[in-house]
Amino acid sequence: MQMPQPDAGILGRREAIVARLAAALPADGLVSDPRELLAYDCDALTVYSCPPLAVTLPRSTEEVSAILRICHAEGVPVIPRGSGTGLAGGALPTADAVVLGVARLNAVLETNYADRYVRVQSGRTNLSVTGAVEPDGFFYAPDPSSQLACAIAGNIAMNSGGAHCLKYGVTTNNLLGVTMVMADGEVVEIGGPAMDAAGYDLLGVICGSEGQLGVVTEATLRILPKPEGARPILVAYDSAVTAGACVSDIIRAGVLPVAIEFMDKPIIHLTEAFVGAGYPMDAEALLIIEVEGSPAEIEEQLEKIKAIAETHHPTTLRESASEAQSKAIWAGRKAAFGATGQVADYLCMDGTIPTSALPETLGRMTQLAADYGLRVANVFHAGDGNLHPLIMFDANNPEELRKAEALGADILRLCVEQGGCLTGEHGVGVEKRDLMVHQYDPVDLEAQMGVKDVFDPKWILNPAKVFPLAASQGRGA
Amino acid sequence: MIEPRSEAEMAEAVAGLSAPVEVRGGGSRGALGRPVQAAETLSTGGLRGISLYEPGALTLVAGAGTPLREIEATLAAENQRLAFEPMDHRPLLGSGGEPTIGGVAACNVSGPRRVQAGACRDAMLGVRFVDGAGRVVKNGGRVMKNVTGYDLVKLMGGAYGTLGVLTELAFKVLPMPEAAATLVVRGLDDVSAVAAMTAALGSPFDVSGAAHLPDAGDPAAARTLVRIEGFQASVAYRAGRLRDLLTAQSRGEVEILSEAADLWADVRDVRGFADRPGAVWRISARPSDGPGLAASVPHLAARYDWGGGLLWLLTEESDAAAAAVRAAAARLRAHATLVRGPAALRASAGAFQPEAPALAAISAGLRAKFDPRGLLNPGRMSA
């Protein structure tokens, strides 16, 4: 992975740029001490890091606007950052860039239950949005695994999903409006409290644009009434193909669970060693299927699911009978990334495939891993085909990192070949930037880059991400 | 009329254009938007057919010119449907023609189920289109989750053919429910009706439609409708709970209908305004602002969908009435679309709520990028 050479002119003007930012921000709103900058040198894709020129931590939309006006005038790249939990390197700085972290913008601005929305500052964490409305019986639906830490700003940048988006959709389906600061510092309102907005669906384009079109400082989010209850069921099979067929049959039968999670044998064993959730160790594939509603509705849906699951001869079928048992069923799934991290470094892939291609894709993935001599554990959202293969390697061994990256690229190309895509919810960032050519032709990429030209003609917002360097070279100049 | 038979022919046709064209699917929604000044029509009618349908993956891909009817029949055969319940504009606009899936996407046409299942744009997974320079562009795909690059699928949904000619679309589809029930409360005034719908939509009972149909001549005949769908036992349970909730809320009689497809088609297509003269406005607002907004504008009739968040108004056909509607909407951060009106009024008042200058500049910038020669439906969205 290559990043562009830092601009020598900007590095030479470092002190003047820092001074201008210092004049526009309170003393604690600017970080320029080289040791403190190290805290912002990467996001959760830790294999790549680079300390930025400076870090700004604004507390208001006006401060964000002031920072962008200065950087725009100085031609300095700006790296917007939420909580830094991104897995694709979307918040990776360059030495000539100013990081704009929104973590201090964390207030709830308005709660409106009658109209079912909440307006928050964008640095607020995902889970704390639900926390703000939960006492009144509402919740914010998108639930990425990192929801305890990740910011709404990053959720919007990556159009984050989660385990429950099979029923409730991803960020773009739950976002009503934003206050956004454009690259030149102008503040715009896009969308609002109504269900749709006039004109082009600019909100739809901004969501998932990885901080390249503007810096979102406030978001109006749709909130939903909490269901009366939820209950999972665990079904295990002796083959991944059978599990895949079961998923497809459930969906075809008209049952739409809120979540269908899939775990393969390696991840079952890893999580079992880590949290001891009581998963069946003989299973090749395990499904966690969760349904919602009143006790009677849950019963009705689970009966249908069990009937379908039985036709595929499960090796284990375990229905939760209590809150504690529900927690136990989810425990291993929720610990999957942590459990893997205990035994190895890992790269988490995020390709999506049509659910019909599940069996073949899993088979070929296993073969690819064997060819590279690397271990891969699979845990993913089966209902929507969003795979998360975890490629295990030793980060202290450069050759293993190279192999792991090559395997990751092969797996993502396989997803595209199967009719899917490179990333379902983590974003392209730097990680998958150079793989974009496998999914999109030059004319497709040109159309997307044309949108950035309109929003950010100088290309100062999060440049060198999303698009292959060769394709974006020279733009904004 | 130019009617290419393939995407490649479409690209060739657009590249060869030397004057603006009106882009047309089935023609049933041609009167939406500002009138387009174009001598020639470019039809997507030749790009017809379902190229992929996987019921187990809830995915359908079809040419833009595929009749909606064909898609709905194909889905129904597998007990599935387009969940966003697209409105049929023909009764309201008095138009003919066969609605196409491309037209539905280009106008982001959604119906009452918008409150639960999302809009057309939420169900769109992928697009292929020919931009104004004649280039074939694809974006998105056929999978449920996709953040690979910018989401131009959303941008094309609701762009009224001004950024490119849609050639192919991929949709997420959903299972048809086993049962449905509609609760009807009579005689509520608009404010009480919105309060009742808010209570229903704020309950955990998964409401899939909430509409209010006032009756100007007989207030007692006003109907407030709440719909639920799903498995039989679940629908029965929720209908009971919602009846209790609505009874407490409105202190009136609550009737439960097990069959109300026609009623919801009436809501969806705004049929109550179809035979009445006047301008028809579609106003998207906060639900709680709906009744106040209606009361602040002189109008001949009003209807509410989306729990009050979608207000349909019938007004006089005049610039003064238009100005009043637009000003009322702007005060509440709502937006008003002139869905039906004489061409002269759509030209002078514009079909869509004017954008803030900064957003209008972005929109103009996007148009210049995607249609640099200004050939595709010029003026349809803004002058």
Side-chain angles (χ1 to χ4, degrees), chain A residues 453-476:
Chain A
D453 291 340
V454 172
F455 280 82
D456 176 20
K458 290 172 80 170
W459 278 62
I460 64 161
L461 287 171
N462 220 10
K465 312 279 168 66
V466 183
F467 304 107
L469 281 191
S472 67
Q473 215 155 34
R475 289 187 103 93

Side-chain angles (χ1 to χ4, degrees), chain A residues 77-134:
Chain A
V78 174
I79 312 298
R81 179 183 171 100
S83 298
T85 57
L87 291 161
L92 173 69
T94 46
D96 57 357
V98 168
V99 167
L100 197 166
V102 295
R104 288 179 180 168
L105 291 162
N106 59 6
V108 174
L109 302 169
E110 183 190 357
T111 309
N112 186 327
Y113 296 120
D115 298 321
R116 297 173 295 284
Y117 68 83
V118 58
R119 197 159 57 86
V120 299
Q121 288 185 312
S122 65
R124 192 164 180 95
T125 60
N126 174 291
L127 196 60
S128 75
V129 172
T130 287
V133 298
E134 204 167 26

Side-chain angles (χ1 to χ4, degrees), chain A residues 109-360:
Chain A
L109 302 169
E110 183 190 357
T111 309
N112 186 327
Y113 296 120
D115 298 321
R116 297 173 295 284
Y117 68 83
V118 58
R119 197 159 57 86
V120 299
Q121 288 185 312
S122 65
R124 192 164 180 95
T125 60
N126 174 291
L127 196 60
S128 75
V129 172
T130 287
V133 298
E134 204 167 26
D136 296 290
F138 284 81
F139 73 111
Y140 174 60
D143 60 340
S145 297
S146 56
Q147 68 180 151
L148 185 63
C150 65
I152 291 297
N155 290 181
I156 294 170
M158 298 310 192
N159 190 16
S160 302
H164 291 75
C165 57
L166 183 56
K167 178 167 178 189
Y168 295 113
V170 295
T171 302
T172 193
N173 312 113
N174 292 278
L175 178 69
L176 295 172
V178 295
T179 299
M180 186 172 91
V181 186
M182 303 286 291
D184 63 1
E186 180 165 15
V187 180
V188 296
E189 298 284 335
I190 299 176
M195 293 207 81
D196 55 24
Y200 294 136
D201 191 351
L202 302 180
L203 195 61
V205 184
I206 286 156
C207 198
S209 64
E210 308 207 8
Q212 293 199 311
L213 302 184
V215 177
V216 171
T217 58
E218 295 176 16
T220 303
L221 307 170
R222 189 169 76 118
I223 51 173
L224 298 170
K226 276 178 72 175
E228 288 180 87
R231 207 192 307 162
I233 183 172
L234 181 156
V235 194
Y237 290 101
D238 58 10
S239 98
V241 177
T242 314
C246 177
V247 170
S248 184
D249 282 0
I250 289 169
I251 290 172
R252 280 214 63 168
V255 188
L256 200 60
V258 280
I260 307 181
E261 295 291 294
F262 181 112
M263 297 169 73
D264 71 358
K265 188 164 200 165
I267 200 78
I268 294 170
H269 284 242
L270 280 169
T271 60
E272 205 45 36
F274 189 52
V275 291
Y279 287 170
M281 301 290 276
D282 60 337
E284 285 295 328
L286 180 159
L287 300 173
I288 298 172
I289 306 163
E290 182 157 282
V291 298
E292 287 180 346
S294 67
E297 289 175 278
I298 287 174
E299 207 53 53
E300 185 184 25
Q301 293 175 75
L302 286 184
E303 283 309 316
K304 288 181 198 292
I305 290 170
K306 277 191 287 182
I308 295 164
E310 300 276 10
T311 63
H312 295 280
H313 311 294
T315 52
T316 304
L317 194 156
R318 190 182 300 160
E319 194 179 336
S320 162
S322 68
E323 190 63 26
Q325 288 181 16
S326 295
K327 278 211 165 71
I329 287 178
W330 275 107
R333 168 62 186 90
K334 291 197 169 169
F337 290 11
T340 309
Q342 285 287 307
V343 299
D345 299 296
Y346 67 85
L347 289 178
C348 176
M349 298 291 108
D350 177 44
T352 304
I353 53 164
T355 48
S356 50
L358 211 52
E360 187 186 337

Side-chain angles (χ1 to χ4, degrees), chain B residues 295-343:
Chain B
S296 72
V297 179
H299 61 270
L300 307 168
R303 292 162 68 105
Y304 300 82
D305 196 355
W306 302 355
L310 175 58
L311 170 65
W312 290 96
L313 282 185
L314 186 69
T315 71
E316 275 181 15
E317 291 173 346
S318 70
D319 283 308
V325 171
R326 286 269 158 71
R331 273 196 298 278
L332 294 165
R333 289 197 66 193
H335 69 96
T337 306
L338 178 55
V339 171
R340 186 186 77 188

Side-chain angles (χ1 to χ4, degrees), chain A residues 388-461:
Chain A
H388 291 315
L390 305 177
I391 303 170
M392 289 174 264
F393 69 103
D394 175 3
N396 292 321
N397 179 341
E399 175 59 15
E400 279 225 338
L401 170 61
R402 195 200 56 75
K403 280 201 319 194
E405 288 186 323
L407 171 57
D410 279 355
I411 289 174
L412 295 183
R413 274 193 289 267
L414 171 63
C415 290
V416 173
E417 190 188 307
Q418 295 287 323
C421 66
L422 298 171
T423 171
E425 58 186 2
H426 295 171
V428 177
V430 296
E431 187 200 29
K432 294 170 281 274
R433 185 189 66 191
D434 298 311
L435 294 171
M436 285 286 273
V437 293
H438 296 292
Q439 183 164 343
Y440 287 122
D441 295 327
V443 62
D444 304 326
L445 293 173
E446 180 59 38
Q448 296 177 37
M449 291 189 292
V451 171
K452 181 160 174 65
D453 291 340
V454 172
F455 280 82
D456 176 20
K458 290 172 80 170
W459 278 62
I460 64 161
L461 287 171

